[in-house]
Amino acid sequence: MKILFVTDLYPIGDENIAKALFYFVQEWQKQGHEVEVIRANFIANTFLRGRKIKTEKIYYENNTKIYNLNFHTPFLFNVYNKLPKDFSLKNYDVLISHMPCGALMAQKLLQKERIKYVCGVHASDIVVLKSLKYLPFRNKLISSYQNADKIAARSPVLKEKIETIIPNISNKTFIAYSGIEEHLIEENIQPLNKDKIELITVSSLIKRKNIDVIIKTLKILDEKYYLTIIGDGTQRKKLETLTKKLGLGNRVIFTGKLERNKVFDYLRKSDIFVLLSQNETFGLSYLEAMAAENIVIGKKNDGIDGIIKDNENGFLIKSSPEELKKCLDKIYNLNNAEIEQLKQNTRNTILKLTAVNAAENYIKKLN
């Protein structure tokens, strides 16, 4: 199958961009499919995300042809003018878009030529559909979903949300989970060391990630709890100031952004992974934590809800220090057999969520 993948969430070089979609592309190629990428960037949106504008040209990376296109306006003209003269959708079997920019770009491409079309839904899509400030884009985005042959929701929560906003699409909606490399999954299950409990979070340090909730919780916990915060972002200085203000400097470590192998070094030494972010699409960091044998705590009714089943293979709570403390107390009071069963359930879950399985299941849904 020859796939045209359209999104703005695709890294070029060493860009600090989430790699969930990149991993889909790489796995599809390993499975014998040919994939080309159109990275459609709104320049203003790129700046707001703190990214540099990459030169508009064709890149070749990881055996993938990437058309990097920059737009000052949201596709108000013939988008084919940005592409080579011989470009045609007829050269592909399927067009797959992800993120709002990708969906809008795909809609413009399909106005000229029609092929099989799959539209991916992320948390960003729901934000655009529900926020008044994005009202000019709302109808165009809805048209893109309605025009799609299939809709790939990135989590059960997002599937439910998009079906509520746009009725009568449930017959073409499926869940497109992310996956993790199987070799990263730990084989041995270790008991919880209750004398010193290592909490960890891996995240961009931005407001919606609610890292401050974890820090505030540490203040009301016993001193046997420690916290490692991996990542960087606009909220880092505020979070470091909060940590000092609460007198937690000796119990909280800020590592900054780390290479993925270093992240796993920390995850393998930690006990409990916490991330209570809102408007989360899915989050590979949850899967990485599960693979590294962490007990995972996520936010109820958000991205990881559906993969994590409360009290079965992890915990789902509301985002508040009181709720997090209550959950951590519950984990602490579990006996060894209960901890072992919880971790075994986690391992059984993550073994089904490998990158290979995720890519294969996505393609199967298209057929």
Side-chain angles (χ1 to χ4, degrees):
M1 184 182 293
K2 188 169 183 180
I3 301 167
L4 179 63
F5 199 82
V6 184
T7 184
D8 62 339
L9 195 69
Y10 195 89
I12 294 175
D14 59 354
E15 287 182 306
N16 183 22
I17 294 179
K19 289 192 171 182
L21 300 181
F22 169 83
Y23 292 140
F24 272 123
V25 170
Q26 294 304 298
E27 285 299 329
W28 287 334
Q29 289 178 330
K30 290 176 185 176
Q31 292 167 17
H33 303 286
E34 186 179 347
V35 189
E36 294 182 0
V37 175
I38 291 180
R39 195 174 88 155
N41 310 293
F42 289 165
I43 289 176
N45 198 30
T46 303
F47 274 124
L48 287 173
R49 290 177 172 177
R51 299 178 190 163
K52 293 181 179 179
I53 304 297
K54 285 278 187 179
T55 302
E56 188 171 84
K57 66 175 186 177
I58 297 175
Y59 293 80
Y60 293 89
E61 295 187 359
N62 299 292
N63 298 315
T64 307
K65 185 178 184 179
I66 307 166
Y67 299 90
N68 187 60
L69 309 180
N70 300 321
F71 296 88
H72 290 282
T73 56
F75 313 137
L76 297 179
F77 52 87
N78 183 356
V79 295
Y80 279 84
N81 292 339
K82 290 269 189 179
L83 293 161
K85 289 183 179 180
D86 61 349
F87 179 90
S88 172
L89 289 186
K90 300 299 183 183
N91 294 326
Y92 305 92
D93 299 302
V94 61
L95 166 60
I96 301 176
S97 77
H98 275 260
M99 299 291 286
C101 285
L104 294 173
M105 176 73 176
Q107 181 73 353
K108 292 289 287 187
L109 289 169
L110 291 162
Q111 286 175 1
K112 181 177 178 180
E113 303 175 278
R114 175 71 200 188
I115 61 171
K116 191 173 185 178
Y117 173 43
V118 181
C119 187
V121 176
H122 294 238
S124 301
D125 296 73
I126 305 302
V127 170
V128 172
L129 290 172
K130 296 178 76 172
S131 174
L132 289 176
K133 69 179 180 179
Y134 294 112
L135 194 58
F137 305 104
R138 187 177 189 276
N139 289 339
K140 291 179 181 179
L141 202 54
I142 288 175
S143 294
S144 194
Y145 304 131
Q146 292 174 333
N147 196 30
D149 298 291
K150 293 279 187 179
I151 296 175
R154 296 284 284 112
S155 73
V157 171
L158 291 173
K159 183 177 185 295
E160 182 179 342
K161 287 181 178 179
I162 195 68
E163 289 174 355
T164 301
I165 295 171
I166 308 174
N168 303 320
I169 61 168
S170 59
N171 63 319
K172 61 180 183 180
T173 309
F174 67 95
I175 299 171
Y177 290 124
S178 290
I180 191 167
E181 302 94 312
E182 189 169 355
H183 70 87
L184 295 172
I185 301 173
E186 289 288 304
E187 296 184 3
N188 300 316
I189 294 176
Q190 301 294 329
L192 179 65
N193 177 12
K194 295 186 177 182
D195 295 325
K196 182 180 180 182
I197 300 177
E198 297 284 355
L199 307 179
I200 190 169
T201 191
V202 183
S203 171
S204 299
L205 303 187
I206 55 178
K207 191 171 183 180
R208 71 176 180 85
K209 298 293 186 175
N210 294 324
I211 305 300
D212 61 318
V213 172
I214 310 173
I215 296 171
K216 291 172 183 175
T217 306
L218 201 67
K219 179 65 177 177
I220 57 176
L221 287 169
D222 188 283
E223 291 189 359
K224 67 170 73 69
Y225 289 88
Y226 293 80
L227 172 63
T228 298
I229 299 172
I230 298 177
D232 212 339
T234 56
Q235 292 284 304
R236 179 169 177 175
K237 287 187 177 179
K238 287 185 178 180
L239 295 172
E240 289 176 334
T241 299
L242 175 63
T243 299
K244 291 177 183 177
K245 182 180 177 181
L246 296 177
L248 298 171
N250 62 333
R251 294 167 60 196
V252 179
I253 297 172
F254 288 84
T255 70
K257 184 173 174 57
L258 299 176
E259 295 292 330
R260 196 171 185 229
N261 62 324
K262 295 291 185 182
V263 173
F264 268 92
D265 288 341
Y266 276 95
L267 284 171
R268 292 186 182 102
K269 296 173 185 175
S270 59
D271 303 299
I272 301 172
F273 176 88
V274 186
L275 185 56
L276 303 173
S277 56
Q278 62 193 57
N279 295 328
E280 188 72 58
T281 291
F282 188 85
L284 271 177
S285 56
Y286 294 102
L287 301 189
E288 291 171 344
M290 294 168 76
E293 209 213 333
N294 279 234
I295 297 170
V296 172
I297 302 174
K299 186 173 179 291
K300 190 179 293 185
N301 298 321
D302 226 301
I304 199 63
D305 194 338
I307 292 293
I308 294 295
K309 297 178 181 178
D310 192 34
N311 289 294
E312 183 177 324
N313 60 356
F315 298 90
L316 297 167
I317 64 173
K318 295 178 181 178
S319 184
S320 75
E322 295 75 22
E323 287 287 315
L324 180 53
K325 181 182 184 304
K326 189 188 301 183
C327 183
L328 290 169
D329 287 343
K330 181 191 293 186
I331 294 170
Y332 185 82
N333 289 323
L334 295 175
N335 61 40
N336 289 339
E338 290 169 328
I339 291 287
E340 183 177 353
Q341 184 61 61
L342 176 67
K343 289 192 172 189
Q344 185 60 59
N345 292 344
T346 299
R347 189 170 189 278
N348 292 341
T349 300
I350 199 65
L351 283 171
K352 297 175 184 177
L353 293 171
T354 63
V356 172
N357 288 344
E360 285 180 349
N361 289 336
Y362 199 127
I363 293 296
K364 285 177 182 177
K365 295 294 184 181
L366 307 192
N367 296 326

